[in-house]
Amino acid sequence: MNVVILAAGMGKRMQSALPKVLHPLADKPLLQHVINTARSLKPKKLCVIYGHGGAAVPSAVQAWGEDGGVAIDTALQQPQLGTGHAVMQALPHIDAAAPTLVLYGDVPLTTGASLQRLVEAAGDDKLAILTVEQANPFGLGRIIREDGKIVRIVEEKDATEAERAVKEINSGIMVIPTRYLTGWLDALQNNNAQGEYYLTDIVAQAVAAGVPVVSAQPSAEWEVAGVNSKVQLAELERRHQLNIAHALLEKGVTLMDPARIDVRGELICGRDVTIDVGCVFEGRVELGDGVTIGAHSVLVNARVAAGAKIKPFCHIEDALVGEQSVIGPYARLRPGTELGQDVHIGNFVEIKNSKVAAHSKANHLAYVGDADIGSRVNIGAGVITCNYDGVNKFRTTIEDEAFIGSDSQLVAPVTVGKGATLGAGTTLTKDAPAGKLTISRPKQLTIEGWKRPVKIKK
Ligand code: UD1
Ligand code: CA
């Protein structure tokens, strides 16, 4: 089979400099959704027709083509003279002996299963159209049947009143026996309301030539919904997110509200995971058994091990959270954070490029950057690792069972030995020996007989 994806249109109603098919749905360009679905069907040839937006579309396509799936060709359609003219540009890139599936680059949510049904309906020698009964078919091509058989497609702008009353519409997605395609496309005329070469006109030609025309239906209307505006893009985003949410529910994940989750990548969940409202997942996120994610947290390329609890309003990116750990509320784990088992990271604590071993705690208002922290370490409120001298970054090492008093600054490179204690407010510039109290505070003194100044009357 060949797949041809039409993506040359300009997408004026998007009101954007970005070509329409490159607008993201769930963080991935519309066209990439279509290409991924197309590739899942294992076509022999895959060709994207581009036009508007210059080199942006082919260069994006080329980058996706390098990931090892079916090779992707691109063909320029310039100027854009209609869908039939667009398919014509693909002819040098496809195999004449195999059927051709036509997809639209701005229709992102068609499922592989529906396309498979269409391909099966077409077999080797039939023209098969993906159609849908739509309550409001305005603007779309209507399927005209006689005695139940499809005889042609008529566009809204060319239709009579009786034809406009037809609710069965052309999704635009069809499978065409390629051996007839060149002849049919050559015979297209543009004497219609839009002055375009309509791909849909091949249907009447097929009927005249005695080639059977059949149809298949997707399992839902949104599968053939296209994006022409930001309103439609937003609607399809919610639909897609709801589909993802339902798939998570089916797998046993508890979602406090399936309408309030956004997965912009891959979310892999163990058993008995609970996700509260307003969470965003980007890239690849893995949640182990029994993990709970509090409301309004954002997780990007993260792994949270079994039994860990993320409290509300956390931001976790390129980080690992160990088993049974408790994070947040309001914690930030930045790239390179690796937390061991039962680590507690509390409110307004930021951790970057650091390892924290089992049972350690930093519960309030701290910055830990470029540090190696042992197990059972306690980091007090307001502690800061001074990892940056304005030019270079240095590491801080805190060994097992150390206690870092509140409001201490550890000027890296520096090491706190095993079981050492830092008094509150210590500015540590040299290593603190193991098992001892180190403190850099001036001794406290009280001045006897001191009096507060009094206000001088004027
Ligand atoms: C087309 C169909 C219509 C169908 C509707 C479904 C035709 C003549 N009409 O109408 O029956 O109900 O889709 O949405 O086929 N494109 C190109 N080059 C062009 C023109 C279009 O690549 O010269 C691409 C567009 O980028 C888009 C797709 O083809 O991805 C459909 O084009 P669009 O203008 O939206 O088609 P409609 O007129 O809406
Ligand atoms: Ca359209």
Side-chain angles (χ1 to χ4, degrees):
M1 183 184 51
N2 308 294
V3 176
V4 174
I5 301 174
L6 306 190
M10 109 159 106
K12 206 167 157 192
R13 284 159 61 197
M14 297 298 280
Q15 309 279 4
S16 168
L18 188 68
K20 175 163 78 174
V21 292
L22 297 184
H23 280 263
L25 181 99
D27 218 18
K28 196 163 75 181
L30 295 171
L31 181 56
Q32 205 181 356
H33 285 269
V34 181
I35 285 176
N36 289 351
T37 309
R39 278 176 152 180
S40 76
L41 303 169
K42 308 245 177 304
K44 261 195 249 171
K45 301 276 182 186
L46 176 51
C47 182
V48 174
I49 310 300
Y50 71 99
H52 271 277
V57 172
S59 58
V61 167
Q62 202 187 351
W64 306 327
E66 280 161 8
D67 64 12
V70 181
I72 314 170
D73 281 350
T74 54
L76 176 66
Q77 184 200 14
Q78 192 69 276
Q80 288 89 40
L81 303 177
T83 49
H85 179 253
V87 173
M88 223 180 267
Q89 316 310 311
L91 291 174
H93 300 271
I94 60 179
D95 175 0
T100 297
L101 168 64
V102 175
L103 301 174
Y104 288 178
D106 56 3
V107 177
L109 298 185
T110 322
T111 62
S114 294
L115 294 177
Q116 198 62 53
R117 275 206 305 282
L118 184 71
V119 168
E120 276 156 25
D124 221 25
D125 54 356
K126 294 191 275 295
L127 175 59
I129 308 165
L130 196 64
T131 76
V132 109
E133 294 267 345
Q134 221 155 286
N136 177 16
F138 180 78
L140 296 164
R142 308 297 205 284
I143 304 292
I144 307 302
R145 293 178 183 261
E146 280 171 17
D147 302 325
K149 289 208 169 96
I150 298 174
V151 292
R152 62 199 164 84
I153 295 175
V154 61
E155 293 304 301
E156 168 89 25
K157 287 186 177 137
D158 303 293
T160 64
E161 207 166 318
E163 289 166 336
R164 280 185 198 157
V166 172
K167 304 277 188 215
E168 187 184 10
I169 60 96
N170 168 34
S171 69
I173 294 171
M174 55 177 86
V175 177
I176 309 161
T178 311
R179 57 183 175 279
Y180 306 119
L181 188 57
T182 309
W184 290 345
L185 292 177
D186 282 346
L188 291 181
Q189 310 238 310
N190 65 350
N191 52 350
N192 49 52
Q194 302 183 77
E196 288 183 3
Y197 295 94
Y198 292 164
L199 179 63
T200 43
D201 284 350
I202 69 168
V203 175
Q205 293 191 57
V207 173
V211 173
V213 180
V214 297
S215 70
Q217 283 68 42
S219 37
E221 206 177 300
W222 49 258
E223 285 198 38
V224 298
V227 173
N228 297 300
S229 65
K230 288 285 174 81
V231 171
Q232 289 172 343
L233 181 62
E235 284 167 359
L236 276 197
E237 177 76 40
R238 285 341 299 161
R239 166 44 65 186
H240 182 56
Q241 292 301 340
L242 205 53
N243 292 345
I244 293 170
H246 284 166
L248 291 168
L249 292 170
E250 293 290 346
K251 285 186 185 150
V253 177
T254 300
L255 301 178
M256 298 319 290
D257 182 356
R260 284 185 285 168
I261 178 171
D262 285 84
V263 181
R264 302 171 188 153
E266 201 185 355
L267 176 60
I268 300 147
C269 295
R271 286 178 83 84
D272 298 308
V273 166
T274 299
I275 300 172
D276 209 337
V277 300
C279 293
V280 178
F281 300 90
E282 292 179 5
R284 186 188 158 93
V285 175
E286 266 182 74
L287 306 179
D289 294 349
V291 164
T292 63
I293 308 290
H296 305 290
S297 292
V298 176
L299 282 81
V300 183
N301 295 319
R303 207 166 79 216
V304 181
K309 187 177 176 69
I310 311 295
K311 293 184 177 176
F313 300 104
C314 289
H315 192 280
I316 299 177
E317 181 174 6
D318 289 308
L320 303 179
V321 175
E323 282 182 25
Q324 309 294 333
S325 288
V326 180
I327 312 299
Y330 302 102
R332 180 170 184 207
L333 306 183
R334 290 174 54 200
T337 296
E338 288 181 31
L339 308 183
Q341 196 191 336
D342 180 40
V343 167
H344 289 211
I345 304 297
N347 42 239
F348 308 106
V349 174
E350 173 181 346
I351 310 219
K352 185 214 76 172
N353 190 27
S354 296
K355 288 195 168 101
V356 182
H359 315 294
S360 289
K361 296 186 170 82
N363 273 331
H364 336 263
L365 305 156
Y367 173 62
V368 175
D370 302 311
D372 296 291
I373 296 175
S375 62
R376 296 184 197 282
V377 167
N378 195 313
I379 295 184
V383 167
I384 289 172
T385 55
C386 308
N387 57 327
Y388 187 48
D389 63 8
V391 185
N392 298 300
K393 295 221 166 120
F394 300 96
R395 290 197 79 82
T396 297
T397 302
I398 301 175
E399 294 178 352
D400 296 349
E401 285 147 41
F403 179 96
I404 313 298
S406 297
D407 202 27
S408 292
Q409 304 100 51
L410 289 78
V411 182
V414 76
T415 296
V416 178
K418 184 168 192 260
T421 299
L422 297 196
T426 292
T427 300
L428 194 73
T429 50
K430 290 180 291 209
D431 292 353
K436 294 185 177 160
L437 171 66
T438 298
I439 192 162
S440 72
R441 209 189 298 157
K443 275 217 164 71
Q444 180 168 325
L445 52 90
T446 301
I447 309 220
E448 296 299 336
W450 178 85
K451 291 226 164 54
R452 272 192 204 171
V454 290
K455 191 147 181 123
I456 300 164
K457 285 202 174 106
K458 286 184 190 151

